Amino acid sequence: MGFFLQYAWLIPLLPLLGFAIITLTPVRMSKTLSGWVAIGLMVVATVIALGVGAEVYQGVHVGEDGAATIASAEGHAAEGEAASAEGEAAFTFPEANIVRTFRWAPAAGDVAFTMGYYIDPAVAAMLVMVTIASTCIHLFSMGYMAHDVRQSRFFSFISLFTASMLLMLLSSNLLLFFMAWELMGLCSYLLIGFWYDKVYPNPNQITPRQAAMKAFITTRVGDVLFMVGMAYLWTQAGSLDFGTAKGQIFNPEFLAHIGGTTNSLGISVATGIALLLFCGTVGKSAQFPLHVWLPDAMEGPTPVSALIHAATMVAAGVFLVGRTYPIFKADGGPALLAVSIIGAFTALFAALIAVGQFDIKRILAYSTLSQLGFMVAALGIGGWVAGIFHLLTHAFFKALLFLGSGSVIHGMEATVGHDSNTAQDIRNMGNLRKYMPTTFLTYVAGYLALAGFPGFAGFWSKDEILADAWNHGHMVVWIVLTLASFLTAFYMTRQVWIVFFGKFRGHSPRKPDYTPAHGHDDHGHDDHGAHGGHDPHESPWTMTLPLIILAVFAVFAGFVNMPYEGYHQLTKFFQQEAGTFNGTVMMIASLVGLAGIALGYVVYRNAFTTSEDVDPLQRMMPGVFQTLNRKFYFDEIYANTFGRLSYGLAVAWSWFDRTVLDGFLNGTGLFTLFLGRVNFIIDDTVLNDGMDAVSEGTTVAGDVTRQTETGKIQDYVSLIFGGVVILGIIYLYGVRR
């Protein structure tokens, strides 16, 4: 008992070890061996994470002395205890199941920075989700990246990425959390830009290297503000350690203090800290207005897309709010109101954009933005359990959909070749269920989960968010999220129907009539051209097995938290209050989802008999569709505002650098040369020549003096007499006058 909790520190260490082995040993010379090393270590990490989850579910707590005890499984919230209809659910920071820390850097006085791991139910659930999803993605990568010449490097990077996420989850304080957070940002740069040497004929089309830079810089905007918020919190608490004890950031007395103290801006200290921390979430989880980097991240390999969009990077931002939730609650509402507004707006905004896309991965990318908006909005309205619940279910079915899209792209290459513009365009697909039955069935499972079809995982978690919005009186949020749910069901039905039904159109693929801004994936192969009459084919088992595993979770993962008496397990597991069953909300949500599916079928059942056909919505509403296809022109807006501003600042700085700084430095150099010349003149002319003259004069004087030394007494008497005469004259005519 307590064995897995004691050795939980191995969970991030194992993928980190994989990174070290692949990078530093001869293993990197074998693509196959490097992949299996990474997969094997992830399997072990997953086993430990499952053990941790089981022990936490049993209520096992391990003290500082290593002794394990079992607490009540009921926790702080009894099963079925509901949030008040008049207000939001209470939040109680759960007691840690195990805490292990050590001092690693002294600060001032008795203050020191600590490092360690902190496991509570939320962390345990996230560990299970991340390790399972990441293991499936690692296995999928064995088949997907099999022909890439840099496969070993890929597994090295993806192992480090996973290790960073797991370390962030286990962090015992916000400083270590931030360090892992930034390491994950570095890994995202390396993975998004993995095919850094890839270029496109059109210079306006973003390349992987540019996409990586865009992601890195955009997320840094949020991260800088996150760091400022962390520093602000440090000045108030003198600590960044998680926990409720005195001197820790979730101590009730401290939270009451910062909630009741107003800063110079007229807001509470808690509000200021919370909003700054939330900026990190806006960047990492790609919420409006820092959403622009995530769709461009599609330039990375598809397994990277699955990892970023499902199990790791974007989940980190939502988890940050969930982890620091007591601070958000401490201010009495303003910070959470901002969170709910940003989340709800992003959910609807991204869902609208997804309707007008043709790239199979880009549709899923904007779907991710929308679903992250659901999670953020849930946390903002007080639905902590619902938000984390949707974070967990979404990771499984969105990883499934991205890996499924990778399987589709892999199969399409048999027909269109390694041309990313055509292999990912859904207009060139059709009837793929005939050629790729396993991919089709698993993809449909993910699609129904995302669309909120009754009984699937996404239905239960999304319904709980909508129920919380309804029960807490946030009707505007409920309406916005309901509209987003309708659009989700519609655009996913559109995608599935065009890809898997109708007539296959890949033998005569569409020539690109537009320049996609992003989203292309070519495995790093050379373009061998179209493969003529080849039909699409099913992917190898290393790619289909992860799809089957994730499909099981997409179907059944929601059953762990059904809102019925005896089945709301996460309420007990997380030790938090949550909303109960709401028949009205469930009925409306079900009808909305089914209506979106039905409308998608009606509009697209006869669409795209050829690859050259026009989208029905484009034909009916060309202006609106063009706006959606161009993402509300946000790329153009950013390019003409922040882009121009950045360019102008760069030009100004370049001029300042060349004219002012270089001029000053060059002038300083010239002045130094002048001083050197003057010094040379003084040294050579005055000092050297002067000393030479003195020396010569001394020599001459010595010679003259020596001539007077004759040795004759009369000569000396004459000299003395002459001297006396001279002194007498000086006295008579000088001194006496």
Side-chain angles (χ1 to χ4, degrees):
M1 186 173 65
F3 173 83
F4 291 103
L5 286 170
Q6 294 267 30
Y7 289 95
W9 53 271
L10 288 172
I11 297 175
L13 186 63
L14 288 168
L16 182 62
L17 179 63
F19 164 76
I21 292 174
I22 298 171
T23 305
L24 303 176
T25 72
V27 169
R28 68 181 183 275
M29 305 302 295
S30 172
K31 297 192 295 181
T32 302
L33 182 58
S34 63
W36 286 116
V37 166
I39 293 169
L41 291 170
M42 276 305 309
V43 169
V44 177
T46 302
V47 172
I48 299 175
L50 289 170
V52 168
E55 291 182 342
V56 172
Y57 183 77
Q58 296 170 3
V60 176
H61 288 73
V62 180
E64 290 289 340
D65 57 356
T69 58
I70 297 180
S72 173
E74 298 296 322
H76 298 288
E79 180 184 1
E81 185 177 0
S84 171
E86 291 81 23
E88 300 172 359
F91 180 85
T92 303
F93 196 81
E95 181 183 356
N97 296 81
I98 186 172
V99 182
R100 292 288 184 269
T101 61
F102 67 92
R103 297 161 63 102
W104 65 276
D110 295 332
V111 180
F113 294 111
T114 62
M115 186 176 293
Y117 64 98
Y118 185 110
I119 299 178
D120 61 17
V123 173
M126 290 292 295
L127 287 174
V128 172
M129 179 273 288
V130 172
T131 52
I132 293 176
S134 296
T135 301
C136 290
I137 294 169
H138 276 65
L139 181 58
F140 183 91
S141 301
M142 280 295 294
Y144 193 82
M145 301 294 293
H147 302 290
D148 196 286
V149 295
R150 295 191 288 262
Q151 186 183 25
S152 295
R153 180 185 296 180
F154 175 82
F155 278 107
S156 169
F157 290 167
I158 203 170
S159 295
L160 183 60
F161 196 1
T162 305
S164 304
M165 178 67 183
L166 294 170
L167 176 61
M168 189 202 74
L169 294 175
L170 285 170
S171 299
S172 62
N173 58 68
L174 204 55
L175 178 60
L176 182 58
F177 187 105
F178 183 77
M179 293 166 66
W181 174 285
E182 288 300 292
L183 182 58
M184 189 164 49
L186 172 62
C187 293
S188 70
Y189 171 79
L190 297 174
L191 287 169
I192 295 171
F194 184 75
W195 291 319
Y196 57 87
D197 52 354
K198 183 180 178 182
V199 295
Y200 297 113
N202 191 324
N204 296 321
Q205 188 170 341
I206 193 168
T207 64
R209 183 168 55 183
Q210 293 169 330
M213 185 63 69
K214 185 176 182 179
F216 189 80
I217 293 175
T218 304
T219 54
R220 293 291 79 70
V221 174
D223 292 354
V224 168
L225 296 175
F226 176 16
M227 185 172 62
V228 173
M230 192 168 61
Y232 193 6
L233 179 60
W234 170 267
T235 63
Q236 300 297 314
S239 169
L240 295 174
D241 293 341
F242 298 137
T244 58
K246 187 177 180 68
Q248 296 176 329
I249 61 175
F250 302 137
N251 176 262
E253 295 181 1
F254 169 71
L255 294 175
H257 169 70
I258 62 175
T261 305
T262 303
N263 60 24
S264 58
L265 298 177
I267 60 176
S268 71
V269 172
T271 299
I273 295 173
L275 291 177
L276 287 169
L277 296 179
F278 181 61
C279 289
T281 295
V282 172
K284 218 67 156 187
S285 292
Q287 297 295 282
F288 180 88
L290 298 181
H291 65 282
V292 294
W293 71 268
L294 191 58
D296 289 331
M298 297 298 98
E299 285 294 338
T302 292
V304 174
S305 303
L307 202 60
I308 290 177
H309 286 250
T312 56
M313 192 162 171
V314 296
V318 178
F319 184 74
L320 170 62
V321 177
R323 180 48 117 189
T324 57
Y325 205 64
I327 297 175
F328 285 81
K329 296 283 289 186
D331 76 340
L336 288 178
L337 177 62
V339 172
S340 65
I341 293 173
I342 293 293
F345 179 82
T346 304
L348 182 59
F349 172 77
L352 286 168
I353 295 176
V355 172
Q357 306 306 309
F358 292 114
D359 186 289
I360 187 172
K361 289 174 64 178
R362 198 185 318 170
I363 296 171
L364 298 178
Y366 282 104
S367 167
T368 298
L369 291 177
S370 182
Q371 297 305 304
L372 290 169
F374 272 84
M375 303 169 205
V376 172
L379 294 171
I381 62 176
W384 189 90
V385 174
I388 301 300
F389 181 28
H390 196 54
L391 176 63
L392 297 173
T393 60
H394 174 265
F396 292 119
F397 63 71
K398 184 53 61 72
L400 168 61
L401 289 171
F402 268 110
L403 296 185
S405 71
S407 181
V408 168
I409 297 168
H410 185 271
M412 283 292 297
E413 290 178 341
T415 300
V416 302
H418 306 294
D419 184 348
S420 56
N421 283 327
T422 55
Q424 295 179 208
D425 195 328
I426 61 176
R427 295 172 292 184
N428 295 325
M429 302 176 187
N431 201 27
L432 290 185
R433 72 185 192 280
K434 172 184 175 182
Y435 307 101
M436 309 176 70
T438 303
T439 298
F440 165 66
L441 292 174
T442 55
Y443 202 94
V444 167
Y447 147 62
L448 293 176
L450 176 58
F453 191 84
F456 286 75
F459 169 78
W460 299 110
S461 56
K462 192 180 297 182
D463 178 75
E464 186 160 334
I465 294 174
L466 295 173
D468 278 335
W470 181 287
N471 293 336
H472 300 162
H474 298 278
M475 299 310 297
V476 174
V477 173
W478 179 81
I479 293 171
V480 172
L481 295 183
T482 300
L483 289 174
S485 298
F486 171 80
L487 291 171
T488 301
F490 174 78
Y491 67 69
M492 285 304 301
T493 302
R494 168 183 181 263
Q495 184 196 61
V496 169
W497 192 266
I498 295 175
V499 172
F500 293 103
F501 294 88
K503 179 182 178 182
F504 181 66
R505 301 172 294 274
H507 293 309
S508 300
R510 183 188 191 97
K511 301 297 182 182
D513 56 359
Y514 70 102
T515 301
H518 41 253
H520 300 302
D521 196 346
D522 68 356
H523 296 229
H525 299 309
D526 294 330
D527 188 359
H528 304 299
H531 290 208
H534 293 187
D535 290 330
H537 60 81
E538 186 62 272
S539 300
W541 74 268
T542 53
M543 296 173 66
T544 56
L545 179 59
L547 298 181
I548 296 171
I549 296 172
L550 292 171
V552 173
F553 283 98
V555 176
F556 298 107
F559 292 156
V560 301
N561 201 48
M562 295 186 295
Y564 306 119
E565 185 176 355
Y567 294 95
H568 215 171
Q569 296 297 317
L570 287 185
T571 300
K572 295 188 296 181
F573 185 68
F574 289 148
Q575 305 172 15
Q576 302 298 332
E577 294 181 358
T580 56
F581 174 77
N582 189 313
T584 302
V585 173
M586 180 172 287
M587 182 180 297
I588 295 174
S590 301
L591 292 175
V592 166
L594 294 173
I597 293 173
L599 182 61
Y601 169 75
V602 170
V603 175
Y604 288 97
R605 68 184 188 280
N606 296 319
F608 293 107
T609 57
T610 71
S611 59
E612 300 300 323
D613 286 354
V614 177
D615 190 285
L617 290 182
Q618 187 177 7
R619 186 169 53 250
M620 291 185 290
M621 302 177 292
V624 174
F625 190 87
Q626 177 72 3
T627 300
L628 300 181
N629 180 259
R630 300 295 295 272
K631 297 103 49 195
F632 289 99
Y633 298 95
F634 256 85
D635 284 341
E636 290 81 357
I637 293 172
Y638 272 54
N640 290 307
T641 53
F642 295 106
R644 289 183 179 273
L645 177 62
S646 299
Y647 180 76
L649 292 174
V651 171
W653 176 255
S654 178
W655 175 87
F656 181 79
D657 180 62
R658 292 194 314 271
T659 306
V660 179
L661 294 183
D662 287 354
F664 174 76
L665 293 176
N666 291 336
T668 303
L670 291 174
F671 182 69
T672 302
L673 291 175
F674 170 75
L675 291 179
R677 184 61 181 171
V678 171
N679 182 70
F680 173 79
I681 294 173
I682 294 174
D683 181 69
D684 187 64
T685 304
V686 178
L687 296 180
N688 289 344
D689 292 348
M691 295 308 302
D692 290 343
V694 171
S695 177
E696 292 178 1
T698 303
T699 301
V700 171
D703 290 340
V704 173
T705 304
R706 189 168 56 252
Q707 292 177 2
T708 63
E709 297 176 357
T710 62
K712 299 178 179 179
I713 188 64
Q714 59 269 25
D715 292 336
Y716 296 141
V717 173
S718 298
L719 290 173
I720 293 171
F721 179 78
V724 171
V725 171
I726 293 171
L727 290 175
I729 294 172
I730 293 172
Y731 175 77
L732 291 174
Y733 292 93
V735 177
R736 291 197 60 178
R737 286 187 179 184

